Amino acid sequence: MSKKISIKDLKDYVGQEIQVSGWLYNKRSSGKLRFLILRDGSGYLQCVYFKGNVTPEVFELTDKIGQESSITVTGKVKEEPRSPGGYELDATEVTIIHETHDYPITPKEHGVEFLMDNRHLWLRSSRQVAIMKIRHRIVKAIRDFFDDRGFTLMDAPILTPAACEGTSTLFETEYFDLGKAYLTQSGQLYAEAGALALGKVYTFGPTFRAEKSKTRRHLTEFWMVEPEVAFSDLNDNMDLAEEFLEYIVQSVLKDRAEELKVLERDITKLQCVVRPLPRISYDEAVEILHKEGLPFEYGNDLGAADETVISSKFDKPVMVHRYPSEVKAFYMKRDPENPKLALAVDVLAPEGYGEIIGGSQREESLETLQERIKEHDLPMEAFEWYLDLRRFGSVPHSGFGLGLERTVAWICGLEHVRETIPFARMIYRNTP
RNA sequence: UCCGCGAUAGCUCAAUGGUGGAGCAUUCGGCUGUUAACCGAAGGGUUGCAAGUUCGAGUCUUGCUCGCGGAGCCA
C-alpha cells in the first residue's frame, strides 16, 4: 500500500509510489493523455494518465470526473520541468470519493456579485487560498511580534454597555434585563485598563461598525489588533508602530513569497518597508495638499483622496502625527506645546490603501479627561470605571489600533477588503 | 441619504427601434505533453420587475427592485 502524503511534501518522495487525496482543480486532455490538476490545500499536483499505462476503466474515469470532485490518486512522483510546480505524478489509479458535476465557478472570469454569492466555494480558488494563507501569516506575525516583546494578550469584551468613543454608529442588541448592549467598535478603553495592570498588553479580535459606508476600504465586521503600553509617549508609540509594520511585511515576504507571486504582487513595493518610516506632522501634510493645489481646509480630518495624495509622496507607509484635537477622540492627550493639537498618529499605507493604523498618547489627567467627556456630551457615569484608571496610579500611556483587513489588502495588493476576510460582512451583504 | 454606472444563456459579455449572438461551462467526437490547452458538433433564453410610446422595444420614456463604484459618515 502506497503512502498518503500532502502535495507540499512531494519533493521528498521523488521516485516513490504515493497517494494524495484532494479535489480536482482543473483537467486537460490530449489524445491518449489526461492531465488532472489536483489540489489538497497544501498545493497543486499535475497527475498524468497515459492510456497505455492504466486500465481502460481508470482511463475512462479520468474523462468523467467533474471539476471539484473529491478523489484519491495513486502514482509515482517524478521531477518534470514541464509541470507547474516542477513535480508531477505518473498516475496509475484514481478513486472517486464524491463525484460532482456543474461546479459553478469555472476557470474563467466571473463577476463580483456571483463570486460573493458563492464565497463558500470561491475560497477554493488559488487566489483566495493565497490570500487566506497570507492573512494567516500576518495574524501570526502580529501575535509573535507582541508575544516576543513582553506583551500579554488581553482581549476586550465584544458586548459593551456603551459606545467606546461616542462617535460611530453601533450595532445594538437587547441584553436580558439590563437594557441595550452594543457590539464593540474598539477594545481600546479596556486595553488601557490592561496596560495599567500588566504594563504592555494587546487585544486582538473582531470589531463592528454600523456606519453605512460603502467603499473598498470598509467592512461592518473587521479585525483589529490594539497594543497599549504604560509609561509610553507618542514617540515611543510611533517607534513601536514602525517596528511592528516592518516585522509584519518582512515576515510575509520571507514565508509567503509563493502566494505573493500567485497574486502577482509587485514585491519591490513591500521590500522597502524597513525602518525608519517617514514622520510628518498634520501641518506638513496640509502643506503637501496645498502645494498640490487641493482645496483642503486646515482643521478638517484627511479624506480618502487627501490620504492618497499624501501617501503617494512616499514609497513606504507614512506616519502623520499631531492632528487638530477637534477631529480626534476625547481620550487623546493634547500637545503641551500646542493645545489645539492632539498627540495622535495615523499611519497611511502606500499606493492609496489608506489609514491602516490610528493611535495616540492618552490623556492621563483625571480633571482634563472629565472636561473632555463633558465637551463631547458623553454620559459621565458610563466612563466612571475608565476614569478610575486616572484616579489610581495614572501614568502616561499610549497605543494604537491596526486594521487587519486593510493591512491584508495592502500587502496582497487587492482592490477591495472583501477578499481579505473569509466571509465579509458589508452593508448590503451578510451571506453566506 | 446623495451622485455615477449597470442588470441579456449556468458564467463573462455582444446585438443601428426590424429574425437575440459569441467565448467559457455542459454533452458527444478528435488529438501522446497539456499549461485558463486546442479543433469539430450539439443542447441551452419570460433580455431584473411593472407600466408606457411605437406597426414593431433587449434597445426609447417613467416607476420599482437588486448590484457595483464613489461621496458623506467612519477605521
Side-chain angles (χ1 to χ4, degrees):
Chain A
M1 178 100 177
S2 42
K3 192 170 180 189
K4 274 204 153 185
I5 67 161
S6 288
I7 292 173
K8 67 171 164 44
D9 300 325
L10 271 181
K11 58 181 185 311
D12 302 328
Y13 293 88
V14 174
Q16 299 181 45
E17 189 177 88
I18 54 99
Q19 271 192 5
V20 181
S21 294
W23 296 265
L24 183 63
Y25 192 68
N26 200 0
K27 189 171 63 174
R28 289 181 284 270
S29 66
S30 177
K32 300 190 169 62
L33 281 168
R34 299 286 180 271
F35 300 91
L36 271 51
I37 312 296
L38 187 75
R39 61 165 193 91
D40 74 343
S42 80
Y44 300 84
L45 170 60
Q46 174 163 285
C47 309
V48 183
Y49 292 82
F50 174 50
K51 196 169 189 175
N53 291 352
V54 301
T55 65
E57 291 75 25
V58 167
F59 196 72
E60 198 179 326
L61 255 187
T62 60
D63 249 355
K64 291 268 181 314
I65 314 170
Q67 191 191 352
E68 285 301 319
S69 293
S70 43
I71 56 177
T72 298
V73 299
T74 307
K76 197 181 276 184
V77 181
K78 64 175 193 184
E79 279 190 74
E80 174 53 74
R82 286 173 295 185
S83 178
Y87 298 90
E88 71 179 19
L89 196 69
D90 199 355
T92 50
E93 294 280 345
V94 59
T95 315
I96 295 174
I97 298 161
H98 179 239
E99 187 172 347
T100 187
H101 292 280
D102 300 320
Y103 182 72
I105 302 179
T106 59
K108 265 284 178 183
E109 312 158 25
H110 298 282
V112 170
E113 186 185 4
F114 177 80
L115 289 170
M116 286 304 284
D117 283 344
N118 289 285
R119 181 60 171 166
H120 50 294
L121 301 176
W122 189 21
L123 288 167
R124 301 183 185 191
S125 304
S126 57
R127 273 181 63 87
Q128 301 306 312
V129 167
I131 293 167
M132 288 305 129
K133 287 189 174 181
I134 291 171
R135 178 187 168 102
H136 172 238
R137 188 63 190 88
I138 291 170
V139 169
K140 180 173 156 51
I142 287 169
R143 301 183 82 116
D144 288 348
F145 179 85
F146 291 122
D147 293 349
D148 292 348
R149 284 164 183 76
F151 284 72
T152 300
L153 175 67
M154 202 197 86
D155 285 320
I158 286 170
L159 288 164
T160 61
C164 285
E165 304 182 6
T167 48
S168 55
T169 320
L170 304 185
F171 288 101
E172 200 178 272
T173 183
E174 290 297 325
Y175 196 87
F176 303 108
D177 296 333
L178 298 180
K180 301 254 187 274
Y182 305 87
L183 296 185
T184 185
Q185 59 166 327
S186 163
Q188 189 215 303
L189 303 191
Y190 296 98
E192 287 187 50
L196 272 60
L198 294 146
K200 297 196 275 189
V201 299
Y202 67 105
T203 73
F204 194 6
T207 49
F208 306 87
R209 305 283 166 92
E211 261 99 25
K212 296 190 172 180
S213 301
K214 189 172 153 21
T215 81
R216 69 184 66 192
R217 302 177 307 280
H218 288 88
L219 296 168
T220 55
E221 177 182 323
F222 66 98
W223 284 64
M224 188 152 69
V225 56
E226 296 174 280
E228 192 72 31
V229 182
F231 306 104
S232 161
D233 63 16
L234 181 67
N235 283 330
D236 299 328
N237 203 28
M238 291 195 281
D239 290 346
L240 183 68
E242 69 177 2
E243 189 184 356
F244 181 49
L245 284 176
E246 175 189 279
Y247 183 83
I248 291 173
V249 171
Q250 296 305 321
S251 297
V252 173
L253 281 172
K254 182 167 138 283
D255 294 338
R256 290 293 176 268
E258 267 314 300
E259 285 75 13
L260 290 170
K261 205 171 162 190
V262 168
L263 298 172
E264 295 173 310
R265 182 66 166 117
D266 177 1
I267 59 167
T268 61
K269 296 262 179 24
L270 299 175
Q271 282 162 336
C272 62
V273 182
V274 290
R275 285 174 286 169
L277 301 184
R279 301 181 184 191
I280 63 170
S281 67
Y282 172 87
D283 287 25
E284 289 166 320
V286 173
E287 261 178 55
I288 290 174
L289 294 174
H290 286 163
K291 208 173 284 177
E292 288 294 312
L294 271 79
F296 185 84
E297 194 179 327
Y298 186 93
N300 287 350
D301 205 353
L302 301 174
D306 307 319
E307 288 179 354
T308 303
V309 168
I310 292 163
S311 68
S312 72
K313 300 287 163 199
F314 304 90
D315 58 0
K316 18 181 167 177
V318 54
M319 302 183 165
V320 183
H321 56 81
R322 292 180 173 80
Y323 282 75
S325 51
E326 288 199 355
V327 301
K328 288 293 181 185
F330 76 93
Y331 52 72
M332 293 185 177
K333 187 178 173 65
R334 299 203 177 168
D335 188 351
E337 290 175 16
N338 181 353
K340 284 192 176 348
L341 300 178
L343 293 174
V345 58
D346 284 355
V347 181
L348 309 180
E351 303 165 74
Y353 281 95
E355 183 186 339
I356 50 172
I357 281 182
S360 71
Q361 184 172 339
R362 323 304 190 189
E363 178 54 64
E364 78 265 29
S365 152
L366 175 65
E367 293 73 24
T368 309
L369 200 51
Q370 283 171 327
E371 275 173 42
R372 298 278 179 272
I373 290 173
K374 278 183 206 149
E375 281 169 20
H376 282 79
D377 216 17
L378 296 169
M380 191 66 74
E381 62 281 6
F383 290 96
E384 283 304 328
W385 71 266
Y386 183 65
L387 291 166
D388 269 356
L389 306 176
R390 277 71 179 171
R391 289 189 180 103
F392 306 106
S394 190
V395 297
H397 62 290
S398 64
F400 60 81
L402 171 123
L404 178 63
E405 285 74 18
R406 285 187 183 178
T407 305
V408 176
W410 161 50
I411 290 176
C412 291
L414 304 178
E415 280 298 304
H416 200 298
V417 289
R418 66 186 155 218
E419 283 184 66
T420 65
I421 188 166
F423 297 95
R425 292 293 171 258
M426 295 177 293
I427 175 167
Y428 292 124
R429 176 180 293 280
N430 60 6
T431 55

